[in-house]
Amino acid sequence: MVRKFAGGRTVAHLGAVWCVGCALTALQFQAVVLGLLSGTAALATVLVVGPPLAVSLFAGLGTSARAFVPLTRRARGLWGWAVTVYAAGTAGPLCIILVSPRDRGLSSSLLLYPCGGVCAALAAAFFLPGARTRLATLGVTVVFAAVGCYVSWSAAQPPTLPEWLSANGVDRALLRVGDPPAGYTLRVGGASEDGFGASYERPGSPELQLSVEREGHDTRRTDARGCPVPFDERIHCADDGAGRQLVSYEGDYARQELRLRRAGLVHTVTLRGSGAGLPAARHILSTLRPATDAELAALVGLPMRQ
């Protein structure tokens, strides 16, 4: 009966430390975020005032453990216990923030709160008497740290192409390219649920830009031939053969668009100038095909929705 009482008292003590650790982690996280948004003075106030208040809260909690945690029976030991527990509860979430991928941010800041509580509870468990208790606490700490390291490593790995396409809602039907003309290099620019873009580059020649989107996505006004209605610039449209349409813009930014409508998609190759790259643009549209995974590999380096 005595052992059950002692065990229940220890569990209650560690549970209380965990709850306080979770609450303090949440408060500190929100306070630091607000401080960052409010300016240097506000952030400095949070960093100066917050820790002493948090340590005082833990010290008040530590007074209830004097019966079974010898260190807390003296004032110096109590404050040392409080500082150690607070430092551990703060260090864990801080490590998670530091190792989180910068381009994705924290997948969920709510995960920080229980992590702070667990770290504080593990630190408090180290001060419990008994070699077995300390050994068990050490084992749990090692497992917790290993799991945390693995999760952080896994989060830092780039997604696979199917994962990236699925997360960004990209329809693979949009991912179409033409074979690069002689001397040109194909570079994928980006993809979304609305369209796909790629460029063809060759030293000494204007870049050719390919875009693929669904019919009706372009909301510009057009005439009966599908030619854009001019707005403060001169536009000429002509039949280029093989189902292609050539749109020439003669405004401040002279350019041409070679368009091909097929299977509900609009494929457009844009080129600058008077049309020296038209043969290359025609080659791209005449060789359209689904892009390979190797050609799309650069997409996984772009931001991905969480």
Side-chain angles (χ1 to χ4, degrees):
M1 187 69 180
V2 174
R3 288 185 178 180
K4 285 186 177 180
F5 176 74
R9 183 175 56 181
T10 299
V11 171
H13 167 65
L14 295 180
V17 172
W18 180 82
C19 290
V20 172
C22 291
L24 285 177
T25 302
L27 289 173
Q28 288 187 133
F29 180 78
Q30 298 298 332
V32 170
V33 170
L34 292 175
L36 289 171
L37 296 176
S38 302
T40 306
L43 179 60
T45 301
V46 170
L47 296 179
V48 170
V49 176
L53 292 177
V55 171
S56 299
L57 183 59
F58 272 121
L61 180 63
T63 58
S64 64
R66 287 174 175 169
F68 53 93
V69 181
L71 182 65
T72 61
R73 293 170 186 170
R74 294 184 179 182
R76 182 179 297 180
L78 175 64
W79 286 103
W81 178 90
V83 169
T84 303
V85 172
Y86 167 74
T90 302
L94 182 60
C95 289
I96 292 180
I97 294 174
L98 292 177
V99 301
S100 294
R102 296 291 191 274
D103 59 334
R104 302 180 201 175
L106 293 171
S107 58
S108 175
S109 60
L110 295 178
L111 294 177
L112 293 174
Y113 310 157
C115 174
V118 169
C119 291
L122 287 174
F126 271 110
F127 292 101
L128 295 173
R132 290 183 178 179
T133 301
R134 293 192 180 93
L135 186 61
T137 302
L138 179 62
V140 172
T141 302
V142 170
V143 172
F144 181 71
V147 171
C149 290
Y150 174 77
V151 171
S152 299
W153 172 84
S154 179
Q157 302 307 302
T160 64
L161 181 60
E163 289 172 343
W164 191 95
L165 296 177
S166 176
N168 288 280
V170 178
D171 184 355
R172 288 206 72 137
L174 293 171
L175 308 181
R176 296 177 61 81
V177 297
D179 293 336
Y184 282 84
T185 301
L186 169 64
R187 298 188 186 280
V188 170
S192 69
E193 56 190 8
D194 299 318
F196 169 69
S199 63
Y200 295 81
E201 303 171 359
R202 185 176 71 176
S205 299
E207 180 183 78
L208 305 177
Q209 295 180 332
L210 170 67
S211 65
V212 184
E213 57 189 23
R214 292 184 179 87
E215 284 201 69
H217 181 261
D218 188 347
T219 58
R220 292 180 298 176
R221 292 177 57 196
T222 59
D223 59 20
R225 299 177 300 164
C227 186
V229 175
F231 180 77
D232 200 26
E233 64 179 342
R234 297 178 61 185
I235 302 177
H236 297 285
C237 293
D239 183 1
D240 194 65
R244 298 184 299 266
Q245 182 185 48
L246 179 61
V247 183
S248 301
Y249 298 82
E250 298 180 358
D252 295 334
Y253 176 54
R255 64 195 184 281
Q256 291 185 309
E257 293 178 351
L258 195 62
R259 298 179 178 178
L260 176 64
R261 292 176 171 84
R262 180 181 295 170
L265 299 177
V266 180
H267 311 78
T268 305
V269 177
T270 303
L271 53 154
R272 298 196 305 268
S274 59
L278 273 176
R282 294 187 182 105
H283 173 81
I284 293 171
L285 293 182
S286 66
T287 58
L288 286 172
R289 55 173 174 76
T292 65
D293 286 356
E295 291 169 332
L296 298 172
L299 289 178
V300 300
L302 301 177
M304 184 177 73
R305 295 177 188 171
Q306 298 299 312

